[in-house]
Amino acid sequence: MADSIFTRIINRELPSEIIYEDEHCIAIKDIAPKAPVHLLIIPRKPIAKLCDASGDDLALLGHLLLAAGAVARQVGVEDAFRVIVNNGAGAGQTVFHLHLHLLAGKQFSESQLGF
Ligand code: AMP
């Protein structure tokens, strides 16, 4: 299968604003932000979607959440941010390489779970 857009960004084959990286993941600015702060936390491992993760990915999934917290602190939004994962086209997933959306900088209503 062809490399995803995100794998090509990780491999520096496509440009992107990378704001964080470690051995397991990178964080980039979303190209079409839905909030003043809209970042994507992306594992280097190309898991297509959350439901494709297995027990082997237990530590990686935890790492992604810890990275989200670290990135939130790095950009100064640790007191108020939202993390979203879209799983499958029906849920709005458009890039089939697992990623966490980190959104901040706007008021989120309690009932509104989307962007
Ligand atoms: P999803 O709809 O959950 O699959 O999210 C994919 C996200 O990737 C969308 O918010 C897009 O705006 C974003 N996106 C797509 N291509 C790029 C890119 N080249 N650089 C940064 N973000 C991108």
Side-chain angles (χ1 to χ4, degrees), residues 26 36 40-41 45-46 49 56 59 70 74 78 95 97-98 101 104 113 115:
I26 68 167
L40 303 171
I41 321 295
K45 181 177 177 180
K49 59 188 195 296
D56 292 346
Q74 180 183 317
E78 68 272 21
V95 178
H97 182 145
L98 176 64
H101 294 262
L113 279 174
F115 295 150

Side-chain angles (χ1 to χ4, degrees), residues 53-109:
S54 72
D56 292 346
D57 302 310
L58 184 67
L60 176 60
L61 295 179
H63 182 88
L64 294 176
L65 286 175
L66 289 174
V71 169
R73 278 193 297 279
Q74 180 183 317
V75 301
V77 300
E78 68 272 21
D79 288 337
F81 66 94
R82 180 170 282 185
V83 172
I84 292 173
V85 177
N86 295 323
N87 183 93
Q93 185 174 5
T94 57
V95 178
F96 286 82
H97 182 145
L98 176 64
H99 51 283
L100 277 54
H101 294 262
L102 189 163
L103 297 134
K106 74 173 193 181
Q107 191 66 42
F108 296 104
S109 71

Side-chain angles (χ1 to χ4, degrees), residues 9-10 18 20-22 24-28 40-44:
I9 287 172
I10 288 165
I18 298 174
Y20 170 92
E21 63 182 318
D22 63 33
H24 298 299
C25 68
I26 68 167
I28 65 171
L40 303 171
I41 321 295
I42 306 166
R44 294 183 187 277

